[in-house]
């Protein structure tokens, strides 16, 4: 599978907003400009690769301007703060948009995760 972007960095603490929304994320500072949006991705941590939904950009719905990468790792529950990880972005599924409410954002995040899981399922079928 060809990647669009590959980012290696150390997982840093964030505002824990993803966790409060039901989507805990591994946050990485970005030092190169990548188009903002949601991507089907894989993250390698401790030598193991996991599928993920990754967000690149600033949290516009929450009026934030800091530009970062946040990865929601599927079926994963480990403390990886301070760990070096590699994230591979494969397919951009949508742009970064402002939502009118947190509930709308959460509903869209569920749709994004399902679309990304379907992307990986279709790639594994070929």
């Amino acid at each position: 599978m060809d990647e669009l972007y590959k980012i290696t960095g150390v997982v840093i603490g964030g505002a824990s907003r993803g966790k409060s929304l039901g989507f805990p994320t591994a946050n990485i500072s970005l030092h190169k400009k990548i188009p903002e949006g949601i991507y089907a991705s894989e993250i390698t941590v401790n030598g193991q690769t996991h599928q993920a939904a990754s967000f690149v950009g600033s949290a516009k719905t929450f009026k934030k301007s800091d530009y970062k990468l946040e990865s929601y790792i599927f079926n994963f529950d480990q403390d990886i703060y301070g760990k070096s990880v590699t994230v591979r972005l494969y397919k951009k599924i949508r742009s970064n948009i402002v939502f009118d409410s947190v509930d709308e954002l959460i509903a869209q995040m569920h749709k994004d995760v399902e679309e990304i899981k379907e992307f990986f399922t279709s790639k594994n079928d070929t």
Side-chain angles (χ1 to χ4, degrees):
M1 202 169 6
D2 292 334
E3 66 207 32
L4 299 172
Y5 302 96
K6 179 179 172 183
I7 304 98
T8 298
V10 174
V11 177
I12 57 173
S16 294
R17 193 175 306 110
K19 189 176 200 175
S20 71
L21 299 176
F23 296 88
T25 59
N27 301 317
I28 302 164
S29 293
L30 283 176
H31 304 290
K32 61 181 173 182
K33 202 69 171 158
I34 296 171
E36 292 192 27
I38 304 294
Y39 291 83
S41 62
E42 289 182 329
I43 183 168
T44 302
V45 58
N46 296 329
Q48 293 189 313
T49 300
H50 308 272
Q51 294 175 352
S54 292
F55 167 75
V56 173
S58 57
K60 295 177 180 179
T61 299
F62 299 98
K63 297 179 177 37
K64 300 297 179 188
S65 60
D66 54 327
Y67 179 79
K68 64 185 169 193
L69 167 69
E70 300 181 48
S71 293
Y72 169 63
I73 309 168
F74 304 155
N75 306 311
F76 189 84
D77 185 22
Q78 295 177 29
D79 179 352
I80 56 173
Y81 290 115
K83 300 274 187 188
S84 179
V85 299
T86 298
V87 180
R88 290 174 178 82
L89 305 179
Y90 293 110
K91 179 185 178 192
K92 182 176 178 182
I93 63 163
R94 71 171 172 85
S95 296
N96 184 10
I97 56 176
V98 178
F99 291 90
D100 292 331
S101 71
V102 171
D103 288 341
E104 281 184 29
L105 170 62
I106 292 170
Q108 184 61 53
M109 291 167 72
H110 282 287
K111 291 176 187 172
D112 296 340
V113 166
E114 286 309 309
E115 185 173 341
I116 290 167
K117 287 180 177 179
E118 287 173 17
F119 167 79
F120 282 114
T121 299
S122 70
K123 290 295 178 197
N124 291 335
D125 289 345
T126 57

